């Protein structure tokens, strides 16, 4: 029996007490009652969880604060998610066709069946953004700026403000006026409706936040912090927010606004850190490219574990974008097939749009060739085009891992039953190449490390 | 006339001298109070019909000062009040001795002769105190301590009537030439006074006022399975048990009391030997269980915040004073899936694939091969015909268990020690997979002084599970295999089939998991009588420490698998099967429970008062550690150190919880006719914030034994009791710390010039400081009826329960931009109502033939009263009013027969003839999620019933038990390509050929026919299954005596033998697996014996 010290004196009392009162049950009950109250250790109910970090621990430990902020970067969405998000959105347009979800997913879009419950399937961003903003606001509300080393604390706060500005930039550029929340809403107050904040107010909020954040952010990071928000990232984001804000989509686009955009860009250029890339092809794979300002890195994760987080499936800490996008001849899934419409948008080497449109019946279309596009050969449509075409789209003849891609019927990348992985064969003879690491090989069991830039 | 029988009865009793029971009382005391006093001083219970004893109960006797003992006191009562006592087990039956004219009054005028006789019980032991009456005159006598009697009877043939309480009255004839008789009395089991274990105590069945069912060891052990829950299914009214699977050691039992009454955790509280939260009873040794009580109504309120789903009290056996008794029993069984799946064969499968091709406009590529199969021209090396189910699953798998127990002791020291070994082989062919269990138990009771008893219970259970690490995956794999591919090449080499040969997983070649689990239950208890200071006062206390240690290893191994390449060479693809990888995890958990209780029990004339106040606290703390490495150098050294340090991983986590409880009970009865019980419990749980931590749970119940009333005169109704109860109970089985904001540690964000996956902290769910337990208000009324001198017992209970404060998330009531993931709040409400009935008829005929028929029936209908639903939910999808485990599916209206039909009605874009025709419920011209409907039944049955038949004669015994259910529906959606041949045989082919097809045309897995669940995949789970049949033979004593064995019994039995009725012919109707990927329920055929020395 556990008996706290406080109760022990009673033990000595019992015999005498009993002797005196032994025939009177009422006193025994009283005694027992007293004993019980004193033995009851209600403080054993004062417990803390052993599988999570408590409130007090977090906000009093600068090391934990930094870990908290790191997790906020994880909430930045990226386009390399398997079943939803960025990867699929183009399939809702006439840019590409998704061979794996096909008509059943897109019909939800075309038939107007998108609801808050399935919005995440279409790159809906609302839930993720506001969830992240809440976590960022929580930090700004609870952090004690004088807790740790001042420069480091200022930088942490600036990172959080940068991230919050990032989410608001994404929000207003997608949805226009949205509620601008700079503090957390309690459960009790959650029922109150927040008004949408006009776009110009959001933009000026982002502008001032990023100007202040930029002052506390370093120009670059070395070592383990490489990849966090830099001064340049803040300035670039500021320029983007101002640019979008000046867009006629949201208002007039006054000369003052355009002037502000130009000055914001100027501030970024003045850093003299960034310059245009020399190599379009490697740009998307190289986070050290001078053109890269802000990016998300990945590590190879073993196994196919997926986390259900924020409504979509994503491998924890990684993605497999090469496997999803490369053709079946490379053991890929040929997930999205760019349409000819998109291919036609690439100019010829001489700077002309090669195909102006189509003519004829639906089942017998003929391209209208641009008469000025001299170098365009409809029988070899990928030749003599803007080189970005071949860097963006896999087509017949593209070399992947020293192998020529064969989309032609019953070629290695076609949907012909004699072909390996035929069920992953493209339906339209293109797959996406842009941003992919073509040296990827299947079967090592690790997820891709291709960064999202 | 005093006769205190100390006979040993057949179920092995003791001869505790009543003289050892000291009564701390002197002076005047009523007979009734004396009984209570003795009850408090011992385990004994007095049993009597108050009406029979007249005023004797209220008469006072005077106990002499000094060392009064129970024997002397009862002798006094016997003399002054003419009462007769007979002890059976721990019950003393009290009877008004018949008015005897006495052997002291001979009849001198008549010619008489002397009859001498002996009265013995079934075991041949003498019965002292039996009454012998001369039928004609009523003259009589009583047997002496050796069971002998002498009686002068009038000349001529006379009939003697021999009676003894607890035994069947017999009539024997005597004549002047046959003056010596030996009478064997048979026990009348029906009149045993039943003692029922209730929360924190025991009560006589007749004085119980709540809805409590009880099941005892004989019935529990009649079924020979490895899981106690299987033995109970259908046997107890109100207990709803479904075996959802049959994996050895992991049967996946659904155990509910009166069905599901909450959308939260609906599992009942298990209390084993007075200690709560020791796990369920499933893995206990069934031979160790003395009885199981099911508290279904407010009688559970004494368990407060954990009791809302009902309480199951398990009591293990304890030693009884007497010579050591050794009991050995064994069971040897063969098990097999109760339902063997018949999957499509190769031609059916290929036909199915080609029909899929045709439906998708692809060429039908298998037509020639199908033709070859038809002609028998297929090359079996390439186009084989494999029954993968048969390749993977054994027809019969062995299972056995041995039980050994030793019990006995003296009045001062009693012991029950036992051991069990159980082995179950898994059905997987060629595997070592299976389950082993060793149970040991030692329950010891010592009386240190007349007022101090100490008990020590030690129990250990050692489970070893050899498994695949993922049974569902393996069963799925069986379905996934193509039947046209052989698992092995002609030369016996394992074949690399196109869909990944499942056999290495089935037979353990590719690795497996091993889990060792040790469960230690310990309890030290004491009972201190304070009667010498305050009559009726005693103190109980116990401390219990339970420890669970579990370690699990998952080993993945490469194996040889071959591919016949174009050159005709067998290429070993071992390198593709991975490396030797090891994952290891150990868990440990300690639970400490401390309990102190003060009891008071006293009678004042016709008023009996008893009650207790108690304090209990419980603390649980546990943690796990896990680690893994890949690339071990040898599978003979399955330890981490042989693995590569690259990609090693480890993890660990802890948990803790605590409870503090104050509670008490008060019982009052007047003249054993009016019964009243009130309980109160105040529970504190760490699950809730400081100011919401304590809750109060009252319960009250009353009973009226109408048949004890003096006005009650009925020849055929022996006893009649009405009961009513009300209580408020809680359910605190919710995730801990929901009231605190905590931060989860997760892998997050990659930074660094050499990118490294970092750690992040993210707020867990928004806290809800106001969180509290679920509350249940339960009302119950019941009637207990015993008719025709105990030949027929009948119970009926009606119940109504309202559950509120169920934790649930508000739905979309908060704008998303708040970023709040709403915490669960106590907003849900449900209702559960129904009734249950039990009927029992048992009888022993004079020729020794005994039979027993019993049945139980439970109807429990639950419904959701409130959940926070989105305002956009169409009204036919509002779950309010639906059963708790409702199904939301599309309404299917047969199959499309033609394209015209499709085009003239709303349909999914991919619809083709032969696909499911969905009903456009909202008539909006398209099939959308809004067209789904709620079904009236879910997988938890609304009606469960069972009935058992038993008969015995001259050592031969036959028992049969049937279990049934109704009012349940389950989705069975065949998910992979190969399925039961039924789907093939009943598929739609064309409007002309199969206008009445029951199953859709060969579907693609991506088609809406199979992707969207419709009523075509829903089956009603009605069944009546032959659950258990046992035939047993007990050797006659004249044989067993010679070999010095007191009992020798052999049996054969069968479990899950078949169905009298089954509405789900394709699968076991108890399964609730959507896909069929689960380890099937088992049929068990057993034989074995039991020996008692």
């Amino acid at each position: 029996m556990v008996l706290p010290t406080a109760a022990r004196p009673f033990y000595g009392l019992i015999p005498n007490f009993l002797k005196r009162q032994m025939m009177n049950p009422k006193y025994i009950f009283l005694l027992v009652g007293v004993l019980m109250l004193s033995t009851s250790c209600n403080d054993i109910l004062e417990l803390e969880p052993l599988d999570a970090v408590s409130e007090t621990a977090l906000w009093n430990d600068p090391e934990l604060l930094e870990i908290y902020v790191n997790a906020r970067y994880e909430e930045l969405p990226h386009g390399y998610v398997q079943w939803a998000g960025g990867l699929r959105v183009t399939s809702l347009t006439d840019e590409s066709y998704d061979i794996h979800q096909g008509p059943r997913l897109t019909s939800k879009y075309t038939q107007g069946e998108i609801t808050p419950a399935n919005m995440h399937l279409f790159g809906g961003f609302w839930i993720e953004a506001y969830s992240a903003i809440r976590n960022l606001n929580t930090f700004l509300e609870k952090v004690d700026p004088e807790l740790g080393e001042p420069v480091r604390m200022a930088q942490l706060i600036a990172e959080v403000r940068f991230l919050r500005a990032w989410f608001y930039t994404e929000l207003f550029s997608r949805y226009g006026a949205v509620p601008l929340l700079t503090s957390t809403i309690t459960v009790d107050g959650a029922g109150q409706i927040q008004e949408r904040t006009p776009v110009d107010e959001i933009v000026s909020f982002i502008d001032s936040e990023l100007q202040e954040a930029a002052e506390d952010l370093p120009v670059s990071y070395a070592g383990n912090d490489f990849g966090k928000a830099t001064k340049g990232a803040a300035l670039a984001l500021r320029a983007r927010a101002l640019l979008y804000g000046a867009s006629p989509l949201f208002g007039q686009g006054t000369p003052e606004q355009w002037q502000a955009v130009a000055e914001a860009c100027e501030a970024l250029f003045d850093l003299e850190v960034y310059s245009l890339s020399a190599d379009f092809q490697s740009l998307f794979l190289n986070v050290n490219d001078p053109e890269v300002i802000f990016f998300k890195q990945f590590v190879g994760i073993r196994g196919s574990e997926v986390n259900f987080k924020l409504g979509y499936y994503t491998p924890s800490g990684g993605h497999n974008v090469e496997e999803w996008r490369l053709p079946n001849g490379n053991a890929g899934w040929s997930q999205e097939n760019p349409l000819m419409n998109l291919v036609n948008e690439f100019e010829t080497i001489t700077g002309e749009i090669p195909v102006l449109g189509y003519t004829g019946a639906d089942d017998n279309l003929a391209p209208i060739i641009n008469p000025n596009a001299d170098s365009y050969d409809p029988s070899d449509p990928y030749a003599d085009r803007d080189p970005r075409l071949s860097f963006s789209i896999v087509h017949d003849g593209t070399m992947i891992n020293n192998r020529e891609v064969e989309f032609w019927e019953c070629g290695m990348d076609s949907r012909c039953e004699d072909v390996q992985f035929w069920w992953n064969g493209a339906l339209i003879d293109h797959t996406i190449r842009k941003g992919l690491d073509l040296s990827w090989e299947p079967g090592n069991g690790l997820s891709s490390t291709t960064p999202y830039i | 006339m005093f006769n205190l029988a100390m006979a040993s009865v057949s179920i092995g009793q003791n001869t505790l001298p009543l003289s050892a029971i000291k009564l701390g009382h002197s002076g005047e005391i009523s007979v009734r109070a004396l009984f209570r006093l003795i009850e408090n001083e011992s385990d004994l219970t007095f049993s009597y019909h108050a009406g029979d004893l007249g005023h004797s109960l209220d008469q006072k006797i005077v106990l002499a000062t000094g060392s009064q003992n129970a024997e002397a006191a009862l002798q006094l009562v016997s003399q002054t009040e003419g009462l007769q006592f007979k002890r059976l087990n721990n019950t003393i039956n009290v009877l008004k001795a018949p008015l005897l004219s006495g052997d002291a009054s001979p009849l001198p005028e008549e010619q008489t002769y002397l009859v001498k006789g002996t009265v013995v019980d079934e075991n041949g032991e003498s019965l002292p105190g039996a009454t012998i009456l001369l039928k004609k005159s009523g003259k009589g006598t009583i047997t002496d301590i050796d069971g002998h009697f002498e009686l002068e009877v009038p000349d001529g043939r006379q009939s003697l009537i021999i009676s003894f309480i607890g035994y069947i009255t017999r009539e024997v004839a005597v004549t002047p030439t046959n003056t010596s008789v030996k009478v064997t009395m048979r026990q009348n089991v029906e009149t045993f006074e039943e003692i029922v274990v209730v929360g924190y105590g025991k009560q006589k069945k007749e004085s119980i006022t709540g809805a409590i069912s009880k099941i005892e060891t004989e019935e529990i052990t009649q079924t020979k399975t490895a899981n106690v829950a299987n033995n109970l299914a259908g046997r107890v009214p109100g207990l709803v048990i479904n075996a959802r699977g049959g994996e050895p050691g992991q049967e996946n039992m659904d155990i509910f009391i009166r069905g599901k009454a909450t959308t939260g955790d609906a599992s009942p509280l298990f209390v084993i030997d007075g200690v709560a939260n020791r796990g369920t009873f499933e893995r206990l040794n069934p031979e160790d269980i003395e009885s199981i009580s099911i508290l279904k109504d407010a009688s559970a309120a004494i368990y407060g915040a954990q009791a809302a789903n009902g309480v199951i009290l398990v009591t293990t056996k304890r030693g009884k004073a007497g010579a050591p008794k050794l009991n050995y029993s064994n069971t040897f069984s063969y098990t097999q899936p109760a339902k063997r799946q018949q999957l499509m064969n190769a031609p059916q499968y290929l036909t199915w694939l080609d029909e899929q091709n045709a439906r998708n406009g692809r060429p039908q590529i298998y037509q020639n091969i199908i033709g070859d199969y038809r002609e028998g021209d297929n090359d079996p090396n390439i186009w084989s015909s494999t029954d993968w189910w048969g390749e993977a699953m054994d027809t019969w798998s062995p299972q056995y268990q041995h039980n050994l127990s030793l019990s006995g002791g003296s009045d001062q020291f009693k012991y029950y020690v036992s051991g069990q070994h159980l082995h179950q082989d898994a059905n997987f062919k060629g595997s070592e997979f299976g389950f082993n269990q060793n149970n040991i138990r030692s329950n010891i009771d010592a009386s240190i002084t007349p007022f101090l008893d100490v008990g020590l219970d030690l129990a250990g259970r050692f489970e070893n599970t050899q498994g695949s690490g993922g049974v569902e995956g393996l069963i799925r794999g069986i379905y996934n295999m193509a039947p046209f591919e052989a698992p092995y090449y002609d030369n016996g080499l394992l074949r690399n089939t196109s869909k990944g040969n499942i056999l290495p997983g089935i037979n353990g070649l590719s690795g497996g998991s091993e889990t060792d689990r040790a469960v230690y239950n310990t309890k030290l208890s004491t009972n201190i009588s304070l009667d010498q200071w305050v009559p009726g006062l005693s103190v109980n206390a116990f401390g219990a420490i339970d420890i669970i240690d579990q370690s699990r290893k998952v080993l993945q191994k490469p194996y040889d698998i071959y591919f016949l390449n174009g050159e005709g060479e067998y290429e070993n693809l071992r390198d593709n099967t991975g490396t030797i990888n090891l994952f290891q995890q150990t868990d440990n958990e300690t639970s400490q429970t401390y309990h102190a209780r003060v009891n008071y029990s006293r009678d004042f004339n016709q008023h009996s008062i008893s009650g207790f106040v108690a304090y209990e606290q419980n603390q649980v703390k546990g943690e796990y550690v896990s680690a893994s490495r890949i690339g071990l150098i040898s599978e003979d050294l399955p330890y981490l150190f042989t693995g590569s340090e690259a990609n090693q991983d480890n993890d660990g986590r802890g948990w803790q919880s605590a409870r503090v409880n104050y509670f008490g009970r008060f019982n009052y009865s007047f003249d054993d006719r009016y019964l009243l019980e009130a309980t109160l419990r105040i529970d504190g749980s760490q699950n809730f914030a400081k100011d919401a931590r304590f809750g109060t749970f009252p319960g009250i119940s009353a009973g009226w034994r109408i048949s004890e009333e003096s006005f009650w005169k009925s020849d055929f109704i022996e006893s009649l009791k009405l009961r009513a109860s009300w209580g408020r109970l809680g359910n605190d089985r919710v995730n801990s710390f929901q009231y605190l904001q905590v931060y989860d540690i997760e892998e997050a964000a990659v930074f660094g010039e050499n990118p490294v996956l970092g750690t992040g902290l993210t707020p867990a769910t928004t806290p809800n400081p106001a969180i509290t337990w679920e509350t249940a208000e339960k009302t119950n009324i019941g009637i207990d009826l015993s008719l025709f001198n105990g030949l027929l017992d009948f119970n009926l209970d009606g119940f109504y329960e309202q559950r509120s404060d169920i934790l649930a998330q508000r739905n979309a009531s908060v704008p998303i931009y708040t970023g709040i993931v709403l915490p669960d709040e106590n907003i849900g409400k449900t209702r559960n109502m129904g009734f249950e009935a039990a009927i029992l008829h048992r009888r022993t005929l004079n020729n020794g033939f005994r039979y027993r028929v019993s049945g139980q029936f439970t109807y429990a209908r639950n419904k959701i009263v409130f959940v926070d639903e989105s305002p956009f939910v169409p009204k036919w999808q509002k779950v309010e009013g639906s059963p708790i485990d409702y199904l939301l599916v599309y309404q299917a209206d047969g199959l499309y027969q033609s394209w015209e039909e499709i085009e003239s009605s709303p349909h999914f874009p991919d619809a083709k003839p032969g696909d499911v025709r969905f009903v456009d419920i909202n008539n909006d011209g398209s099939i959308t999620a809004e067209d789904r409907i709620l079904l009236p039944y879910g997988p938890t049955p609304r009606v469960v019933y069972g009935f058992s038949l038993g008969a015995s004669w001259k050592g031969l015994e036959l028992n049969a038990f049937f279990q049934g259910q109704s009012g349940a529906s389950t989705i069975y959606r065949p998910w992979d390509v190969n399925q039961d041949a039924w789907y093939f045989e009943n598929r739609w082919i064309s409007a002309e050929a199969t206008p009445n097809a029951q199953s859709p045309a060969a579907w693609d897995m991506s088609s809406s026919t199979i992707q969207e669940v419709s009523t075509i995949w829903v089956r009603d789970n009605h069944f009546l299954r032959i659950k258990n049949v046992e035939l047993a033979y007990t050797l006659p004593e004249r044989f067993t005596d010679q070999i010095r064995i007191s009992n020798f019994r052999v049996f054969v039995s069968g479990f899950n033998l078949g169905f009298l009725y089954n509405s789900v012919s394709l699968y076991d109707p108890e399964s609730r697996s959507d896909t069929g990927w689960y380890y099937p329920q088992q049929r068990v055929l057993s034989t074995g014996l039991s020996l008692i020395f």
Side-chain angles (χ1 to χ4, degrees), chain A residues 1-2 18 21-25 28-29 32-33 36-37 39-56 58-59 64-75 103-104 107-108 111 113 116 119 126-128 130-135 138 142 159 179 181 184-195 221-229 288 296-302 305 309 316-317 417 422 446, chain B residues 357 362-363 365-366 530 532-535 537 539 541-543 592 594-600 611-615 617-622 630 647 653-660 662 684-686 688 690 693-694 737 739-757 759-763 766-767 813-823 825 872 908-910 926-929 1006-1008 1011-1012:
Chain A
M1 292 289 294
V2 284
L18 280 178
Q21 303 292 348
M22 64 184 180
M23 289 308 288
N24 193 336
I28 301 288
F29 274 103
V32 168
M36 284 186 172
L37 284 177
T39 53
S40 66
C41 342
N42 288 347
D43 36 325
I44 69 167
L45 298 180
E46 287 296 322
L47 299 179
E48 295 235 314
L50 302 180
D51 57 353
V53 172
S54 73
E55 185 97 347
T56 39
L58 169 60
W59 302 112
L64 293 181
L65 289 182
E66 188 160 339
I67 292 171
Y68 182 90
V69 174
N70 287 351
R72 305 287 72 79
Y73 283 90
E74 182 68 11
E75 288 165 348
R104 291 190 53 255
S107 71
K108 285 194 164 62
Q111 297 185 8
E113 288 174 23
M119 192 171 69
W126 191 258
I127 299 173
E128 293 88 330
Y130 275 110
S131 165
I133 287 169
R134 179 179 177 83
N135 292 341
T138 299
K142 298 204 170 176
E159 285 178 58
L181 305 175
T184 56
I185 292 176
T186 62
V187 173
D188 295 338
Q192 284 176 342
I193 301 298
Q194 304 287 320
E195 293 298 323
Y221 291 89
N224 293 335
D225 287 336
F226 180 72
K228 293 185 176 177
N288 292 308
K296 192 159 182 154
Q297 295 185 102
F298 297 91
V299 289
I301 306 282
R302 184 163 294 279
E305 179 197 356
K309 192 181 172 191
S316 101
E417 303 228 354
W422 63 266
L446 293 176
Chain B
N357 286 337
R362 298 186 297 250
I365 52 182
Y366 298 118
L530 303 174
Q532 49 187 312
W533 296 295
V534 182
L537 195 66
V539 173
F542 72 74
Q592 304 180 52
Y594 300 103
H595 172 96
R597 182 168 89 226
V598 178
N599 310 286
Y600 181 73
F612 67 78
V613 288
Y615 168 77
Q617 71 175 49
N618 171 256
Q619 285 167 283
V620 178
K621 199 164 179 181
I630 60 172
N647 287 306
R653 206 161 275 233
W655 59 90
Q656 57 182 343
S657 69
R659 285 194 174 90
V660 167
Y662 307 85
S685 165
Q686 47 89 30
F688 310 117
K690 198 161 188 172
R693 195 160 276 170
F694 284 88
F737 304 113
Y739 68 95
L740 286 178
Q741 176 70 67
V742 297
Y743 298 86
D744 289 336
I745 299 171
E746 298 169 341
E747 288 178 340
V750 177
F751 295 119
E753 284 169 306
N754 298 310
V756 176
L757 183 62
T759 305
L761 277 171
T762 296
T766 318
S813 301
V814 167
I816 290 167
Y817 57 69
T818 58
I820 295 175
V821 176
L822 277 180
E825 294 174 67
F872 306 112
F908 278 108
D910 65 336
S926 66
I927 305 296
T928 64
S1006 62
S1007 71
S1008 45
Q1011 288 270 345
E1012 309 291 355

Side-chain angles (χ1 to χ4, degrees), chain B residues 402-627:
Chain B
H402 298 274
N403 288 290
L404 192 65
S405 71
L406 178 67
S407 68
S410 64
D411 298 325
Q412 279 76 38
F413 185 81
K414 290 170 234 169
Y415 55 88
Y416 172 86
V417 294
S418 75
Q420 178 211 30
H421 174 69
L422 165 76
H423 171 82
Q424 286 177 280
D425 255 16
N427 291 148
F428 297 125
K429 202 171 250 177
S431 78
E432 308 264 298
F433 298 155
F435 179 70
N436 285 290
Q437 172 175 294
N438 294 307
N439 254 311
I440 57 165
R441 175 173 293 277
S442 158
N443 289 350
I444 287 168
D445 297 297
S447 290
I448 313 294
T449 69
F451 54 86
L452 175 65
D453 295 326
V454 173
L456 176 64
D457 302 356
L458 300 172
R461 186 167 72 247
F462 309 95
E463 301 167 15
N464 173 280
T465 313
Q466 303 270 359
S468 63
V471 164
E472 286 192 1
L474 290 185
I475 305 285
R476 176 185 187 173
I478 297 172
Y479 281 89
N480 195 31
M481 293 299 101
F484 58 78
E485 287 182 298
Y488 298 97
Y489 286 107
D490 279 352
N491 56 7
L493 294 179
L494 189 66
R495 175 173 171 162
N496 183 40
T497 60
S498 63
K499 291 174 156 194
N501 198 327
I502 195 66
L503 291 190
I506 295 280
N507 60 26
L509 215 53
S510 65
S513 76
E514 177 166 10
T515 308
D516 279 304
R517 189 175 147 91
V519 179
Y520 304 94
N521 288 346
T522 67
K523 180 184 170 190
L524 181 62
S525 58
T526 181
N527 180 23
I528 304 161
S529 169
L530 303 174
D531 213 76
Q532 49 187 312
W533 296 295
V534 182
L537 195 66
S538 66
V539 173
N540 291 94
F542 72 74
I545 298 183
D546 298 327
I547 296 171
I548 300 173
D549 271 319
Q550 179 175 304
S551 80
R552 180 158 184 266
K553 269 189 172 183
V554 183
L555 187 67
Q556 197 185 318
K557 301 187 291 191
Y559 51 92
D560 294 323
I561 187 161
Y562 296 88
F563 171 63
L564 183 58
N565 64 19
E567 285 87 56
E569 292 161 351
Y570 292 96
E571 218 180 297
N572 191 343
L573 305 177
R574 185 184 178 89
D575 288 348
N576 293 359
T577 61
T579 53
I580 311 175
N581 302 337
L582 177 66
F583 169 87
Q584 209 171 338
Q585 177 166 330
T586 61
D587 293 58
N588 65 68
E589 183 179 283
T590 305
S591 170
Q592 304 180 52
T593 307
Y594 300 103
H595 172 96
R597 182 168 89 226
V598 178
N599 310 286
Y600 181 73
S601 170
R602 228 180 143 178
D603 288 0
F604 302 95
N605 299 324
Q606 290 168 301
H607 309 275
S608 305
I609 289 173
S610 64
F612 67 78
V613 288
Y615 168 77
E616 193 170 293
Q617 71 175 49
N618 171 256
Q619 285 167 283
V620 178
K621 199 164 179 181
E623 66 175 41
Y624 79 80
V625 179
S626 68

Side-chain angles (χ1 to χ4, degrees), chain B residues 16-194:
Chain B
L16 172 102
L18 285 164
S19 54
I21 301 172
K22 303 284 184 240
L23 305 176
H25 185 92
S26 59
E28 204 176 65
I29 185 168
S30 74
V31 171
R32 188 192 305 268
L34 175 70
F35 293 170
R36 292 275 177 270
L37 186 60
I38 295 172
E39 283 176 347
N40 292 338
E41 291 296 329
S42 62
D43 287 342
L44 297 171
T45 312
F46 285 88
S47 164
Y48 48 81
H49 294 281
D52 293 348
L53 303 189
H55 293 294
S56 297
L57 285 174
D58 302 320
Q59 297 299 316
K60 300 268 183 356
I61 59 161
V62 177
L63 296 180
T65 328
S67 56
Q68 261 297 357
N69 65 51
E71 183 174 10
L74 291 181
Q75 210 145 15
L76 188 63
V77 174
S78 178
Q79 282 158 10
T80 59
E81 297 304 323
L83 297 184
Q84 197 181 36
F85 300 94
K86 159 67 180 167
R87 181 170 171 182
L88 283 168
N89 301 344
N90 279 339
T91 304
I92 296 179
N93 290 305
V94 188
L95 203 67
K96 188 85 175 174
L99 283 177
L100 303 176
S101 43
D103 40 357
S105 52
L107 305 163
E109 291 86 27
E110 288 183 46
Q111 185 68 37
T112 62
Y113 62 97
L114 185 69
V115 175
K116 290 185 178 178
T118 312
V119 180
V120 295
D121 68 10
E122 289 154 299
N123 298 334
E125 296 193 36
S126 56
L127 271 184
T131 305
I132 292 89
L133 281 181
L134 187 60
K135 195 175 182 182
K136 267 183 191 166
S137 66
K139 175 189 164 178
T141 184
I142 283 174
T143 53
D144 65 12
I145 194 78
D146 298 318
H148 299 312
F149 71 90
E150 293 185 1
L151 186 64
E152 288 278 338
V153 300
D155 204 9
R157 186 186 170 89
Q158 299 289 347
S159 277
L160 298 183
I161 295 174
I162 297 102
S163 63
F164 198 110
I165 190 161
Y167 285 78
I168 297 161
T169 299
R170 289 199 61 186
E171 194 173 328
V172 294
V174 290
T175 61
T177 54
N178 178 19
T179 59
S180 173
V181 289
K182 183 174 180 186
V183 183
T184 303
M185 302 291 283
R186 296 204 177 275
Q187 239 182 85
N188 183 357
V189 285
E190 288 80 4
T191 60
F192 266 146
E193 280 304 332
E194 284 192 61

Side-chain angles (χ1 to χ4, degrees), chain A residues 360-376:
Chain A
D362 269 1
D363 54 353
N364 191 20
L365 290 172
I368 306 166
I369 312 280
N370 183 353
N372 298 327
D374 295 339
S375 62
Y376 184 69

